[in-house]
Amino acid sequence: MNDYAIETKNLTMKYGNETAIRNVGLHVRKGRIYGLLGRNGAGKTTIMKAVLGLIPIASGEVKVFGERIGERKKWIYPRIGAMIEAPGFYPNLTGTENLEIFAKLRGVPTPNAVENALALVGLPYRDKKLFGAYSLGMKQRLGIANAIFHDPELLILDEPTNGLDPIGIAEIRDYLKKLTVESEKTILISSHILSEITLLADDIGIIDRGVLLEEAPLSELTKRDRRYIELRVSDVPKTVLILERDFGLKDYSVQDDCTLHLFDAVEDIGKIHRTLVLENVAVYESRHCSHTLEDYFRNITGGEGVA
Amino acid sequence: MFRMIRTEIWKLKRYRIIWAGVFLMLLSVLLTIFSTTAMDGTVWTFSFFSEQVIKNNVTMIFPMCVVLIAGYIIAREKKDDTLKNIMTIPVSYSCLLRGKLVACALLSLILGLASAAFTVIANVLLEFPGFSVSLVIQTFIQIILNCLFLYIAATPVIAIAARIPNGHMIGTIIAFVYGYGGMFASGNMTLANFYPITASMGLIGYRSYDPAVHWNTPVCLCSLFLCVCAACIFTLGIKVIEPEKTKKKADKAILKKGW
């Protein structure tokens, strides 16, 4: 049995001659929240569009619930709820009218599906305000309501918290978590905000310039969130010798002629200082540093953008 | 399909362009009123006035108006970015388009009703002779049906325009020329029976009391049937055209100065 709700193999997408994503192998496990993290224009939306079959694939394959997505697999779509890019609705209609149109087209049997979905995202039912007059946050909420009202097994949400206030973000986050815990729904969510993804996702995929750089559970990635001590000393080879001989430390890295990083030695630092001084090694500087997840993402994506 | 048509009718709610259509129907009547001021010895009666409104609808206003409205309604799906929601239901673009074409047929009946109402009101205000209840009913039936048949004649243009990105304005221009072509086609009865725009007049018995007018109803029907077939073919297998991402313009080559 296939454990993946979404699986892509060597997925490549092109816009004209420009390659938008290259050989992406995405694995979204059932009942988990997968956070697709990347800078603006990294290819997150393109991957989501490819998964939904909204744009033609240049090469590779996309499987949803173990089936290749395409024209003949229309039965897959009712199992998916999606919000891609900005929420698209009819500006001349109210939020309720918009959802009722999509509910009618989907043939949703539940009579209160629209009302319940609107209540979940905190929008009024049968309100007279037209979608064209909605604020960005309200539009986003309506987009989420449209993705969830038919109770899909898989949710694909492209930057769903864009434009929401902090309370709204927390509400949506709690709701999405509840969906996976209570109803075992699978969620593929994209964002360029690291903190948002780390608060929500079980698995993380990091994409940059159309290439999936890393795909791992959040628990594994957080192990890379390390604290260390930066030592600036007069004699690095001698310091290394003392650390290995007297303290049994192997987890360090030499940065340059006078700097080295000591990992997992925070408690012993007093003893280390004393020993180095007694061995005639001058300690110019010693400070606590941390190598955060954010630093890690910055490193692998080549710098700025993910915050 | 019934579900599709129903939702398409819901989407028309509060569409301002429909009011533009109603205004164009009024314009057709106003143009006819303007013609009545010409001192060319024409005796204006209720039925003659109604016929002139139909003529103006056919050759100048209605094909352009209905293609503009239908094209706009189709283009709005892309402009409002609602297509991605519809595609993932999933509803194919060709199915969506067929639903819209049926909804626009109903809209053309409403526009016809507005045109007929304006015609009768204008007649009442201008007090042309020959006003009778039977003629009023005939005017309503003729104008409403004529609008529907004109819409059918224009459906291939709407379907072709839907295949072109941002094609509704091109479609409107084509529809104007197509409608105006009816003026020339009406000069020859054989051509008038074949040409879909003038065939719509044949099906409502436009001026059929005139011995010079010989409408061939089966040919007229056949002409409009071919239009429906053409529209179906053009909408068959139609897919959404994703615009390519805009590319940066290449830097201008620096021209060497001097020799």
Side-chain angles (χ1 to χ4, degrees):
Chain A
M1 200 182 144
N2 199 327
D3 285 339
Y4 298 120
I6 302 170
E7 190 183 5
T8 70
K9 278 183 192 160
N10 298 320
L11 180 65
T12 301
M13 311 281 299
K14 287 183 178 180
Y15 289 111
N17 295 325
E18 193 186 329
T19 306
I21 53 168
R22 203 186 306 269
N23 296 324
V24 169
L26 198 77
H27 303 88
V28 181
R29 287 185 281 172
K30 282 179 185 166
R32 311 259 298 177
I33 301 179
Y34 187 104
L36 197 56
L37 184 69
R39 299 161 71 177
N40 294 326
K44 304 183 293 290
T45 305
T46 308
I47 290 177
M48 290 182 155
K49 280 185 174 177
V51 169
L52 289 166
L54 290 173
I55 43 173
I57 296 165
S59 66
E61 67 171 21
V62 179
K63 281 184 179 176
V64 179
F65 298 118
E67 296 281 351
R68 281 184 71 147
I69 201 109
E71 284 282 314
R72 289 176 192 171
K73 303 284 184 212
K74 287 187 173 174
W75 56 268
I76 292 176
Y77 287 100
R79 298 169 69 185
I80 308 173
M83 188 182 77
I84 303 293
E85 290 175 322
F89 291 100
Y90 304 100
N92 53 315
L93 303 178
T94 65
T96 309
E97 287 167 347
N98 266 295
L99 286 198
E100 275 171 349
I101 283 179
F102 291 110
K104 188 83 190 163
L105 287 173
R106 280 189 188 277
V108 176
T110 325
N112 298 330
V114 170
E115 194 177 350
N116 294 343
L118 286 170
L120 267 170
V121 296
L123 284 177
Y125 180 63
R126 297 245 172 259
D127 187 27
K128 285 183 180 173
K129 196 170 188 177
L130 301 182
F131 177 75
Y134 271 21
S135 67
L136 181 60
M138 288 173 84
K139 285 178 180 176
Q140 209 70 12
R141 282 167 193 268
L142 191 67
I144 296 168
N146 183 44
I148 60 171
F149 76 81
H150 58 292
D151 193 27
E153 291 167 57
L154 170 65
L155 272 175
I156 298 176
L157 304 171
D158 188 12
E159 309 207 1
T161 52
N162 261 2
L164 293 185
D165 54 80
I167 296 166
I169 291 173
E171 280 171 5
I172 296 296
R173 193 193 302 136
D174 291 344
Y175 172 68
L176 293 178
K177 274 186 174 176
K178 203 172 137 191
L179 272 182
T180 50
V181 174
E182 289 178 6
S183 318
E184 294 183 344
K185 310 272 185 203
T186 310
I187 301 172
L188 170 63
I189 190 167
S190 77
S191 180
H192 60 273
I193 303 165
L194 171 63
S195 55
E196 189 184 295
I197 287 287
T198 49
L199 283 170
L200 190 64
D202 302 311
D203 301 307
I204 291 181
I206 303 163
I207 185 165
D208 189 50
R209 295 183 189 95
V211 179
L212 191 69
L213 300 172
E214 176 108 41
E215 193 181 49
L218 179 69
S219 52
E220 200 178 291
L221 288 174
T222 45
K223 283 179 189 164
R224 290 165 200 177
D225 190 352
R226 302 183 76 184
R227 293 199 300 160
Y228 63 94
I229 290 162
E230 188 176 87
L231 272 181
R232 286 188 64 236
V233 291
S234 58
D235 189 343
V236 168
K238 197 174 177 182
T239 307
V240 166
L241 191 74
I242 294 163
L243 290 173
E244 288 188 3
R245 188 191 63 204
D246 296 358
F247 297 94
L249 287 176
K250 301 271 184 204
D251 201 1
Y252 59 83
S253 71
V254 177
Q255 301 297 307
D256 55 46
D257 289 348
C258 61
T259 314
L260 72 161
H261 290 169
L262 300 181
F263 300 99
D264 304 328
V266 182
E267 285 84 28
D268 295 334
I269 194 64
K271 283 182 193 168
I272 291 171
H273 282 169
R274 199 176 328 125
T275 312
L276 288 175
V277 172
L278 288 172
E279 295 277 351
N280 291 323
V281 177
V283 179
Y284 302 132
E285 192 182 358
S286 171
R287 62 189 178 103
H288 286 274
C289 300
S290 61
H291 196 89
T292 61
L293 206 53
E294 191 177 322
D295 296 328
Y296 173 71
F297 289 141
R298 278 201 179 143
N299 281 341
I300 68 164
T301 58
E304 314 113 36
V306 184
Chain B
M1 192 62 190
F2 179 70
R3 202 183 279 172
M4 197 75 229
I5 296 162
R6 209 168 149 189
T7 54
E8 284 309 320
I9 294 166
W10 287 357
K11 288 180 200 172
L12 298 178
K13 202 173 173 183
R14 303 186 201 97
Y15 252 151
R16 285 187 190 156
I17 193 138
I18 294 168
W19 290 108
V22 172
F23 174 76
L24 282 170
M25 293 299 100
L26 177 65
L27 186 69
S28 177
V29 176
L30 290 175
L31 274 174
T32 315
I33 293 171
F34 184 70
S35 310
T36 63
T37 58
M39 307 290 277
D40 58 355
T42 308
V43 179
W44 286 85
T45 60
F46 180 92
S47 57
F48 187 68
F49 183 84
S50 301
E51 282 167 3
Q52 293 309 300
V53 171
I54 292 172
K55 192 195 86 182
N56 282 339
N57 273 351
V58 170
T59 56
M60 277 190 285
I61 306 287
F62 198 81
M64 175 198 69
C65 165
V66 82
V67 171
L68 176 75
I69 294 173
Y72 176 82
I73 289 168
I74 293 164
R76 285 301 296 212
E77 294 284 355
K78 282 181 193 164
K79 197 166 176 278
D80 295 334
D81 210 9
T82 45
L83 269 179
K84 61 190 178 193
N85 291 344
I86 292 168
M87 298 290 147
T88 52
I89 285 174
V91 171
S92 68
Y93 188 52
S94 54
C95 182
L96 175 78
L97 214 56
R98 283 195 288 272
K100 284 191 184 295
L101 288 176
V102 176
C104 287
L106 297 174
L107 190 64
S108 68
L109 288 174
I110 293 165
L111 291 176
L113 185 71
S115 179
F118 289 137
T119 307
V120 172
I121 291 165
N123 262 302
V124 171
L125 293 175
L126 296 170
E127 295 175 347
F128 288 128
F131 187 88
S132 70
V133 176
S134 62
L135 273 179
V136 169
I137 293 166
Q138 188 191 317
T139 298
F140 265 90
I141 292 170
Q142 278 194 325
I143 292 180
I144 292 170
L145 284 180
N146 180 240
C147 285
L148 178 67
F149 295 142
L150 275 175
Y151 170 72
I152 293 169
T155 48
V157 180
I158 298 166
I160 292 170
R163 296 189 87 96
I164 308 164
N166 299 319
H168 68 287
M169 289 315 289
I170 299 167
T172 308
I173 296 164
I174 295 170
F176 182 76
V177 176
Y178 180 47
Y180 207 76
M183 193 91 91
F184 302 102
S186 59
N188 178 314
M189 273 322 290
T190 314
L191 192 60
N193 281 311
F194 274 110
Y195 195 65
I197 292 288
T198 41
S200 72
M201 298 162 95
L203 288 174
I204 58 161
Y206 179 79
R207 293 180 74 103
S208 49
Y209 56 84
D210 190 334
V213 177
H214 313 287
W215 292 114
N216 188 331
T217 310
V219 173
C220 294
L221 270 174
C222 197
S223 170
L224 291 189
F225 178 72
L226 286 175
C227 285
V228 174
C229 293
C232 287
I233 292 165
F234 290 135
T235 54
L236 211 67
I238 189 170
K239 287 199 170 134
V240 187
I241 305 148
E242 276 273 331
E244 284 190 5
K245 282 190 175 175
T246 46
K247 289 173 188 169
K248 276 185 186 174
K249 275 187 181 177
D251 291 337
K252 276 185 182 177
I254 301 161
L255 295 172
K256 283 182 182 174
K257 288 178 183 173
W259 294 97

